[in-house]
Amino acid sequence: MSFDQPNAVAAINQAVAATSEDGNCSDVIGKSLDTPIEKTLPAYDEKLSFGLRPAAKDKRAEIGGVNWGKIEKDVARLNGLAAAIDNIASVVRSGKDRLAHDWKGESFDSFRAAVEKIEQTLADYSIAVKTTANGFTTAVNNIRTLYAAYRDECTGSVLNFSGYVPPDDWYKIGEKEIQFLKWCGHCVAFCDKEDMARSILMGHALQRVNYEWFHDWEGRDHEGDAHTALSFSEEERSKISRKINEFYVATDELKDPVGEAYDVALENLRILADSQVFSALQVPGAAGGGPEAGGDPGPGGGDTGGYPGGGGPGGGEAAMPPQSEPHPQPEPAQVEPAAAPEPAQPKPAEVVSDGETV
């Protein structure tokens, strides 16, 4: 009689080999957002002195590093494990069915019950592994969707500064700018334009239109003109600040659902890892090193060709489940020893009534 051989390792290897580790969140929120995050926002920060902390690039890095390709590789390992378990269960089932043709009686009934328990355990464990793998697949798909939505929100609105004064059209007022703004072609005796510009505008930022207006305006109320130019520029600066804040808020809002998706998947994996599925199962005959001499060796006598599987017995031994206790038999009658004490002359064995010799 021959038995199917398990192919569990190959099942795992095939599942893993069929899945690539490629795929990273940077594919979604990387290049498409580089220009606004690495150029536009730093330029605004420099000109308008927002003091962005963390910097925009570092803020994006807070949601970076999600490698769903590696997660999908782990999902493949889980599916490979399930396939391996299914393969082992199939071999166990096939072996049981083949033995059923030649092995009858109570001993086989006990064996079948034990094997079917193993079959059910393997089936349940396979389902649990597949469920965990499916949970990770769902989590990865949800995370991909969240990142894609975040990218679309950023490119479509959050980091779209169309209609806003661009960074190059802002002047951060320093000494060089004061020397330009102080020009006045109207005051004759006394002109406080430079003093007003220095005291009101120094260190602030003016958009180009207000910067040039203050320089060219023919009015003589230089203090009022400086406040007017600064007021219009501050209004635009506040709009840009709120716009940039939307990016920081959107990035923070992405973290929670991504983390929740991970937590659910990892909790399922923890439950699976902590379960003691096989702790109650024992390899039949392992404690005693095989069937006892004189016991029921199973169908075909003592030589069945060996059980398949690395944990089973070697060739020529059939690992059997514990047999039901035999019915008590009457003990043979005791015969008095011969009178002669010499060990070299033992008395021949006598036959007792039940056919056994002593």
Side-chain angles (χ1 to χ4, degrees):
M1 181 182 294
S2 62
F3 295 90
D4 294 336
Q5 299 295 314
N7 199 23
V9 174
I12 296 176
N13 292 339
Q14 289 170 5
V16 173
T19 304
S20 171
E21 288 188 5
D22 296 337
N24 193 291
C25 68
S26 61
D27 300 336
V28 178
I29 63 169
K31 187 176 181 179
S32 61
L33 302 182
D34 280 349
T35 297
I37 289 177
E38 297 183 4
K39 295 181 179 180
T40 305
L41 266 62
Y44 273 129
D45 194 22
E46 180 183 358
K47 289 291 186 71
L48 304 181
S49 303
F50 288 131
L52 299 178
R53 296 293 181 274
K57 186 176 181 179
D58 295 334
K59 189 65 180 178
R60 177 175 59 174
E62 292 179 3
I63 57 172
V66 179
N67 191 326
W68 42 63
K70 289 186 177 180
I71 299 174
E72 289 169 340
K73 196 77 167 180
D74 290 337
V75 170
R77 291 187 176 94
L78 286 172
N79 285 325
L81 174 60
I85 294 295
D86 289 342
N87 176 262
I88 294 171
S90 175
V91 170
V92 171
R93 187 180 309 109
S94 174
K96 178 199 68 177
D97 293 342
R98 292 187 184 187
L99 287 171
H101 293 294
D102 300 316
W103 186 7
K104 308 296 182 182
E106 292 183 0
S107 62
F108 177 75
D109 292 341
S110 298
F111 169 79
R112 180 178 58 196
V115 169
E116 288 176 350
K117 179 183 177 183
I118 295 174
E119 288 182 50
Q120 187 61 53
T121 301
L122 291 171
D124 291 344
Y125 189 69
S126 175
I127 292 172
V129 172
K130 291 173 184 176
T131 300
T132 301
N134 290 338
F136 268 102
T137 298
T138 300
V140 169
N141 290 338
N142 289 342
I143 291 170
R144 283 179 182 271
T145 300
L146 289 167
Y147 272 83
Y150 170 83
R151 175 203 58 204
D152 294 344
E153 182 182 13
C154 286
T155 57
S157 61
V158 171
L159 293 177
N160 184 352
F161 288 90
S162 177
Y164 291 79
V165 178
D168 289 343
D169 283 353
W170 286 88
Y171 292 87
K172 189 172 183 178
I173 307 302
E175 187 59 35
K176 176 183 176 181
E177 289 71 28
I178 293 296
Q179 294 305 312
F180 173 78
L181 294 173
K182 74 178 183 178
W183 180 86
C184 179
H186 309 291
C187 298
V188 179
F190 172 78
C191 181
D192 63 351
K193 188 175 184 181
E194 179 178 356
D195 293 339
M196 293 298 101
R198 192 180 302 279
S199 63
I200 297 172
L201 301 178
M202 179 68 81
H204 293 282
L206 293 181
Q207 56 182 320
R208 183 184 298 276
V209 62
N210 302 134
Y211 182 78
E212 294 177 348
W213 174 85
F214 183 75
H215 175 273
D216 299 338
W217 183 241
E218 297 179 356
R220 298 176 184 274
D221 182 7
H222 301 310
E223 180 180 6
D225 293 343
H227 281 297
T228 298
L230 181 61
S231 176
F232 279 110
S233 291
E234 282 294 315
E235 183 178 348
E236 182 67 19
R237 179 181 181 275
S238 295
K239 288 170 57 180
I240 295 172
S241 177
R242 290 192 295 270
K243 187 71 171 173
I244 293 175
N245 187 62
E246 290 178 12
F247 163 70
Y248 282 75
V249 171
T251 303
D252 286 335
E253 289 179 345
L254 177 63
K255 296 177 185 178
D256 286 343
V258 169
E260 290 169 2
Y262 267 127
D263 289 344
V264 171
L266 290 174
E267 177 63 12
N268 289 339
L269 182 62
R270 184 197 64 77
I271 293 172
L272 179 67
D274 289 348
S275 63
Q276 303 296 318
V277 177
F278 301 106
S279 62
L281 298 178
Q282 297 178 350
V283 178
E292 296 181 1
D296 181 4
D303 185 3
T304 66
Y307 261 50
E317 293 181 335
M320 302 301 297
Q323 302 298 310
S324 57
E325 293 293 330
H327 296 294
Q329 298 294 326
E331 294 185 359
Q334 301 297 318
V335 179
E336 292 294 332
E342 291 84 358
Q345 300 295 327
K347 183 178 179 180
E350 298 181 2
V351 179
V352 296
S353 60
D354 61 357
E356 295 192 14
T357 61
V358 296

